[in-house]
């Protein structure tokens, strides 16, 4: 089952409005001349749309580096000039998250894009996270940690994950029979842990399993988080 949180339909529109609000606020923080990392997911979707509007209306000179096919196609539709990490490093990356803890550690990868997201977000001078309040947690770990796994390594990876105390589950596709295949042609294994006492240690441990391309723990990478709450947008900066 896809790990994104199930929420009641009545709440969907409120959450959606919160995502739009926080995304718009982030888009207003962008300065002319910047190179931007463009995150993936529904919150990033609103960010990319608002950015496209600003570029058109204010004639800004901005280029984007997408973190997935999703953000690439959307950025192109919004007429955002595209560049690559080969040509430019981002001044600012703006991306969503599935969980954010008080130290600004994250779990990402609900959209299976965490490998390129981590590459682009870490390469940026500043990494800004945009979330609605439902993503705020005291401790990471209710959301399973996504691993991007080379298909031929699926079996040994799951054995090692179990030995590390995790419960692995192969993410299955919707509207396609069989597993999700990432933008990099790999599987996604979602791993539920009872607890994550040390996100950085877990991030390193999971990436040391042969066949794991990247995992969805983003420890110590985020510089600032904008959270849409019922009282407006809250900002938390890395101490
Ligand atoms: C994709 C991600 C997304 O940023 C994360 O799943 C949040 O998505 P949304 O903004 O739709 O809640 O990590 O791999």
């Amino acid at each position: 089952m896809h790990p994104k949180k199930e929420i009641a339909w009545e709440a969907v529109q409120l959450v959606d409005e919160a995502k739009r609000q926080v995304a718009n606020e982030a888009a207003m923080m962008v300065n002319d001349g910047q190179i931007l990392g463009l995150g993936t997911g529904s919150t990033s979707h609103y960010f990319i749309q608002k950015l496209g509007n600003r570029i058109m209306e204010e004639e800004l000179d901005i280029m984007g580096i997408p973190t997935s096919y999703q953000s690439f196609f959307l950025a192109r539709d919004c007429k955002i000039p595209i560049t690559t990490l080969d040509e430019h490093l981002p001044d600012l990356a703006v991306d969503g998250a599935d969980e954010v803890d008080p130290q600004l550690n994250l779990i990402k990868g609900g959209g299976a894009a965490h490998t390129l997201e981590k590459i682009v977000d870490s390469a940026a001078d500043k990494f800004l996270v945009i979330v609605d309040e439902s993503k705020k947690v005291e401790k990471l770990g209710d959301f399973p940690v996504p691993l991007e796994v080379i298909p031929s390594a699926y079996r040994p990876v799951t054995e090692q994950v179990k030995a590390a105390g995790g419960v692995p589950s192969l993410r299955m596709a919707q509207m396609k029979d069989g597993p999700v295949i990432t933008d990099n042609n790999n599987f996604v294994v979602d791993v539920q842990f009872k607890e994550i006492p040390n996100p950085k240690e877990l991030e390193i441990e999971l990436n040391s399993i042969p066949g794991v391309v990247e995992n969805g723990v983003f420890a110590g990478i985020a510089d600032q988080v904008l959270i849409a709450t019922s009282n407006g947008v809250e900002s938390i900066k890395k101490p």
Side-chain angles (χ1 to χ4, degrees):
M1 193 175 81
H2 192 281
K4 291 227 181 209
K5 280 178 193 165
E6 299 262 336
I7 53 173
W9 174 245
E10 305 82 64
V12 167
Q13 280 189 315
L14 277 178
V15 171
D16 204 50
E17 193 39 50
K19 289 181 179 194
R20 188 191 296 273
Q21 190 188 4
V22 76
N24 286 354
E25 183 135 341
M28 296 313 292
M29 292 165 65
V30 172
N31 296 319
D32 196 11
Q34 285 189 316
I35 304 292
L36 289 184
L38 305 175
T40 296
S42 52
T43 320
S44 295
H45 186 104
Y46 287 130
F47 171 77
I48 294 169
Q49 282 182 327
K50 179 71 180 175
L51 184 68
N53 288 343
R54 276 201 68 198
I55 291 174
M56 196 173 58
E57 286 162 10
E58 301 172 40
E59 298 184 5
L60 302 179
D61 179 19
I62 278 167
M63 296 180 98
I65 303 178
T67 55
S68 60
Y69 286 131
Q70 186 209 41
S71 59
F72 169 75
F73 289 130
L74 180 62
R76 202 192 48 182
D77 291 349
C78 294
K79 310 263 186 304
I80 299 174
I82 305 288
T83 185
T84 63
L85 289 177
D86 242 13
E87 291 166 303
H88 296 97
L89 290 177
D91 299 294
L92 173 68
V94 179
D95 203 348
D98 299 297
E99 282 188 350
V100 181
D101 79 6
Q103 288 74 44
L104 310 193
N105 299 309
L106 317 172
I107 293 181
K108 285 183 53 54
H114 55 280
T115 299
L116 194 50
E117 289 176 323
K118 199 182 279 190
I119 293 168
V120 173
D121 296 344
S122 328
D125 282 350
K126 177 174 173 177
F127 174 27
L128 176 65
V129 180
I130 49 174
V131 290
D132 65 86
E133 211 169 10
S134 69
K135 309 294 184 62
K136 206 173 157 184
V137 297
E138 271 312 302
K139 288 241 167 236
L140 298 183
D142 276 353
F143 196 90
V145 177
L147 310 185
E148 178 159 358
V149 175
I150 291 177
S152 57
Y154 170 63
R155 179 77 191 271
V157 165
T158 54
E159 294 307 324
Q160 291 207 43
V161 159
K162 286 183 203 162
V167 179
S169 154
L170 181 62
R171 191 181 299 181
M172 301 308 281
Q174 288 169 10
M175 305 293 285
K176 168 199 173 278
D177 293 337
V180 164
I181 304 294
T182 69
D183 289 358
N184 312 306
N185 294 323
N186 294 314
F187 288 172
V188 175
V189 176
D190 293 303
V191 186
Q192 190 73 62
F193 289 94
K194 265 210 187 83
E195 52 176 5
I196 302 181
N198 187 327
K200 188 72 215 172
E201 270 178 17
L202 182 66
E203 182 177 9
I204 293 168
E205 184 182 355
L206 291 173
N207 275 1
S208 73
I209 299 174
V212 172
V213 178
E214 189 51 85
N215 73 82
V217 179
F218 285 45
I221 300 174
D223 295 295
Q224 185 177 2
V225 178
L226 296 182
I227 305 169
T229 73
S230 44
N231 299 320
V233 175
E234 182 189 338
S235 164
I236 309 175
K237 286 191 178 159
K238 194 170 172 174

